[in-house]
Amino acid sequence: MTVATSLIPGLDDIVKRGDPRRRGEVARAIAELFFHDAAKLRPDLVDLFDNLLIDLVPHVELASRVDLAERFSHLNNAPPHLVGQLARENEIMVASPVLRRSPVLDDAALIEIARLKGQGHLLAMTERPTLSVQVTDVLVERGDRDVVRRAAGNAGATFSPDGYSELIKRAAQDGVLTLKIGQREDLSGEHLKALLNGTLDVIRRRLSTVVNPARQVQIKRAMVSIEDAALPPGPRRDFSAAQRTVLGLHRGGHLGESALLGFAKAHKYEESIAALSAMSGLRLSILDRLIAGDRYDPILILGRMLNLSWPTVRALILVWYGPHRAPADADIEAARMNFTRLMPATAERVVNFWRNRQTI
């Protein structure tokens, strides 16, 4: 007989040999006494109630256990052993309330439960007002899709660097998770870059519409870094002087096809690309990579979209070939035919696609 049960005559016998209905009635009666004066109870009295209830509550019918778990989950001084017992119940309707909010559960208990119980228990934990990195490490490790999404969307959760890395790895196959991670205030620049690097364009664009302005700027910077990293190895071109020249022409109202043709005829690659960038609205790094590729098709597409004349497009193609290569007449004629056949609406759609890539 425990000290707690000895204080109430016949209680020890009820605990050991009483029928479930009788034990349930006693448990509810004792719990009501606790709830009535919960705010005034000293720690030693809380321990007393804890010892009384822990052997009785398991015998209470399901509906009453759910009710008790819900009521105890809101109390800062709820009986700790009883709360831990309720949190470990396999019946998720009982465990869920205390797992979601009980301040009595500490990290050690949460980690133990997260490692041993099923996804329902983990999902309930993700709704806690705060989650430490020790707990989220386990949630990310063991949680299914719903658990990880809910944890990532919890502003009160914190994640370790390894936890974030695992989240980002899983986000590569989960657009919803990507959006939740991308909106987190504690997401570092490096983790944002890693997140965007493994994300589809459509998800990047969606993310840019749901985050705050500061994060939008971070996304654009991260995408510039990703685009630059994707450039082929070798010396990078310096467009700074060309950009100053083009900017001066633009301010003076002289940036147009004639200026572009002059740059192309002089085989000034940087100035030609900088002018095309300003005229088309495409970012310089993307345009440079497009035109420096294995085919000159982007020049035809941009020429048609900008309504350039064939002589200007031809001059740009010669810039693409470079000063030390001479294209065959048949190749130039084939390019002219392709340029003539290209529909302006088609060219516009392709350029819009390129623009969308740079705004995500």
Side-chain angles (χ1 to χ4, degrees):
M1 181 180 294
T2 66
V3 174
T5 55
S6 67
L7 295 176
I8 302 177
L11 182 58
D12 186 62
D13 190 61
I14 293 173
V15 169
K16 292 180 178 179
R17 290 176 289 277
D19 66 86
R21 187 177 62 82
R22 178 61 176 147
R23 282 182 286 189
E25 291 173 353
V26 173
R28 286 191 296 272
I30 294 173
E32 286 301 329
L33 289 174
F34 183 92
F35 294 133
H36 185 267
D37 289 318
K40 305 174 184 177
L41 293 177
R42 301 189 311 270
D44 57 326
L45 291 177
V46 173
D47 290 341
L48 175 62
F49 276 101
D50 205 0
N51 289 329
L52 289 170
L53 290 170
I54 196 164
D55 291 325
L56 289 169
V57 169
H59 303 286
V60 175
E61 68 274 12
L62 176 60
S64 293
R65 296 205 314 280
V66 171
D67 178 66
L68 290 175
E70 180 67 30
R71 296 172 72 181
F72 278 123
S73 71
H74 295 280
L75 300 178
N76 291 323
N77 65 336
H81 294 97
L82 176 64
V83 168
Q85 183 185 76
L86 293 169
R88 290 172 175 82
E89 276 214 29
N90 291 329
E91 179 53 66
I92 191 59
M93 289 191 298
V94 176
S96 182
V98 290
L99 288 174
R100 289 202 310 268
R101 71 179 70 90
S102 175
V104 174
L105 287 174
D106 59 16
D107 277 359
L110 292 171
I111 291 169
E112 177 197 340
I113 295 168
R115 290 196 179 281
L116 297 176
K117 294 296 184 178
Q119 297 301 313
H121 289 69
L122 273 62
L123 189 63
M125 283 186 203
T126 62
E127 297 185 32
R128 293 182 69 81
T130 60
L131 289 168
S132 70
V133 295
Q134 291 80 10
V135 176
T136 57
D137 275 350
V138 183
L139 295 178
V140 173
E141 176 189 343
R142 293 199 63 236
D144 62 13
R145 183 192 65 180
D146 292 336
V147 169
V148 173
R149 284 178 176 179
R150 190 81 63 83
N154 185 338
T158 55
F159 296 90
S160 67
D162 287 344
Y164 254 127
S165 296
E166 183 62 26
L167 278 178
I168 290 168
K169 186 188 304 181
R170 295 180 67 164
Q173 305 297 325
D174 188 342
V176 173
L177 180 58
T178 298
L179 295 177
K180 289 184 178 295
I181 297 172
Q183 295 177 78
R184 291 191 58 82
E185 294 295 331
D186 60 350
L187 184 68
S188 69
E190 284 304 308
H191 281 136
L192 175 62
K193 182 177 175 182
L195 178 70
L196 295 170
N197 202 25
T199 301
L200 296 174
D201 286 355
V202 64
I203 303 299
R204 293 171 180 168
R205 291 196 296 273
R206 172 61 178 153
L207 178 59
S208 69
T209 66
V210 298
V211 297
N212 60 43
R215 180 54 53 83
Q216 290 176 2
V217 172
Q218 292 176 331
I219 289 174
K220 289 180 179 179
R221 288 175 179 169
M223 288 310 306
V224 169
S225 178
I226 291 170
E227 295 284 356
D228 290 344
L231 292 173
R236 303 286 175 86
R237 293 181 182 271
D238 183 2
F239 287 93
S240 55
Q243 285 180 297
R244 288 193 294 270
T245 299
V246 168
L247 180 59
L249 290 173
H250 175 69
R251 287 173 174 169
H254 302 300
L255 179 61
E257 183 172 357
S258 61
L260 177 61
L261 178 59
F263 292 142
K265 282 185 173 181
H267 278 274
K268 293 183 176 181
Y269 179 89
E270 287 81 2
E271 286 79 0
S272 298
I273 301 304
L276 277 173
S277 173
M279 294 167 68
S280 66
L282 284 169
R283 194 168 65 233
L284 194 58
S285 60
I286 289 180
L287 192 55
D288 179 34
R289 189 166 73 256
L290 287 169
I291 294 180
D294 296 333
R295 298 175 61 86
Y296 53 69
D297 294 5
I299 295 174
L300 303 182
I301 293 169
L302 283 166
R304 179 56 74 201
M305 190 276 295
L306 293 171
N307 197 28
L308 300 178
S309 64
W310 168 245
T312 302
V313 174
R314 181 181 184 277
L316 289 169
I317 292 174
L318 294 179
V319 172
W320 178 84
Y321 272 99
H324 305 299
R325 287 195 301 163
D329 291 342
D331 291 336
I332 292 296
E333 178 59 19
R336 187 188 68 80
M337 293 296 295
N338 288 335
F339 177 70
T340 302
R341 293 169 183 160
L342 184 60
M343 297 296 292
T346 302
E348 186 72 36
R349 283 197 298 271
V350 175
V351 174
N352 281 336
F353 171 74
W354 293 336
R355 289 194 185 111
N356 286 334
R357 289 185 62 195
Q358 72 183 12
T359 58
I360 51 181

